[in-house]
């Protein structure tokens, strides 16, 4: 028979998890509303809070270390991309790339659809070919290499189910929107809003997909 203290521990963890998720959603709302309203200060305050709060929430849910690392590397990318400097863009892209490697390691050994892989490969080839002439010369190779890694992550994410697969696809869409801005293509109204909306949804869905897979595996082994 478990002691009252041991029995109460899961309840405390659940309460903390809910508080952290609520804080994450509040930061999301502040960030997105700030972008729509043109309130740059609100965006600069809220954006660096997003991934640490999501990572902390995931940790209270028993997240694997690779998921926590991926989210915190995303935070690093978020912070560096607040700057408009070319070096900050490259460092931020490198931080995100390291996060994608963490995701790929999480998805290792799982089966994925071959036709879906062909579709992603075609999308990658077409997008890079279209963007290439309009990208700054010094960013062409880094962007192409990053796009390959991101596309691989998006494709492999589908191995964890619909939520993670949708998260991978939205991550690809979000970064494609950034790339079109770098290439100086015509943009949607409030372009940063759409970048952040798809990015936040991507990270949340990837987190939910990984946690669901972890919980499912635990149920089968207990």
């Amino acid at each position: 028979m478990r002691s009252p203290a041991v029995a109460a521990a899961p309840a405390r963890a659940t309460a903390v998890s809910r508080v952290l998720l609520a804080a994450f959603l509040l930061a999301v709302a502040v960030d997105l509303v700030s972008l729509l309203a043109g309130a740059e200060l609100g965006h600069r305050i809220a954006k660096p809070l997003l991934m640490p709060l999501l990572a902390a929430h995931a940790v209270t849910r028993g997240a694997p270390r690779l998921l926590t690392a991926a989210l915190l590397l995303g935070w690093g990318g978020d912070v560096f991309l607040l700057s408009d400097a070319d070096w900050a863009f490259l460092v931020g892209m490198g931080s995100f790339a390291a996060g994608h490697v963490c995701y790929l390691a999480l998805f290792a050994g799982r089966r994925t659809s071959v036709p879906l892989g062909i579709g992603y490969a075609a999308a990658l080839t077409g997008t890079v070919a279209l963007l290439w002439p309009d990208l700054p010369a010094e960013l062409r190779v880094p962007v192409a290499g990053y796009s390959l890694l991101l596309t691989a992550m998006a494709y492999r994410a589908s191995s964890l189910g619909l939520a993670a697969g949708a998260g991978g696809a939205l991550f690809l869409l979000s970064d494609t929107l950034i790339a079109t801005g770098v290439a100086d293509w015509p943009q949607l109204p409030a372009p940063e809003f759409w970048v952040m909306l798809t990015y936040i949804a991507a990270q949340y869905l990837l987190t939910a997909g990984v946690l669901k897979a972890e919980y499912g595996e635990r149920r089968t082994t207990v």
Side-chain angles (χ1 to χ4, degrees):
M1 183 175 179
R2 294 185 299 174
S3 69
V6 172
R12 286 196 298 269
T14 299
V16 171
S17 177
R18 288 174 178 170
V19 169
L20 289 168
L21 180 59
F24 167 71
L25 293 175
L26 177 60
V28 170
V30 170
D31 189 53
L32 295 180
V33 170
S34 296
L35 289 172
L36 286 176
E40 182 65 19
L41 179 60
H43 172 58
R44 288 185 171 273
I45 292 173
K47 185 180 181 183
L49 298 175
L50 295 170
M51 291 306 108
L53 287 170
L54 183 57
H57 164 70
V59 167
T60 63
R61 296 285 308 279
R65 291 180 181 178
L66 283 170
L67 173 59
T68 305
L71 293 173
L72 293 180
L73 286 164
W75 167 74
D78 290 343
V79 171
F80 280 108
L81 290 186
L82 284 171
S83 170
D84 293 329
D86 287 345
W87 70 266
F89 178 81
L90 288 171
V91 173
M93 187 166 60
S95 188
F96 279 121
H100 297 326
V101 171
C102 292
Y103 277 127
L104 284 168
L106 274 172
F107 307 148
R110 298 176 180 272
R111 298 182 64 181
T112 45
S113 164
V114 172
L116 182 63
I118 294 172
Y120 269 121
L124 169 66
T125 303
T127 302
V128 171
L130 289 171
L131 287 169
W132 188 271
D134 298 323
L135 289 171
E138 67 275 13
L139 293 180
R140 287 172 179 168
V141 172
V143 168
Y146 175 81
S147 298
L148 176 60
L149 183 60
L150 171 58
T151 303
M153 186 281 291
Y155 166 55
R156 294 289 297 136
S158 64
S159 65
L160 262 65
L162 184 60
L170 284 171
F171 214 135
L172 183 60
L173 173 59
S174 179
D175 280 9
T176 300
L177 291 174
I178 293 175
T180 61
V182 173
D184 203 25
W185 285 15
Q187 299 291 293
L188 294 168
E192 283 192 83
F193 169 82
W194 298 109
V195 168
M196 287 305 299
L197 177 64
T198 50
Y199 166 69
I200 293 167
Q203 291 280 40
Y204 177 79
L205 288 170
L206 284 165
T207 300
V210 171
L211 291 175
K212 183 178 180 181
E214 286 290 306
Y215 291 159
E217 288 167 2
R218 289 176 185 177
R219 289 193 192 101
T220 61
T221 57
V222 173

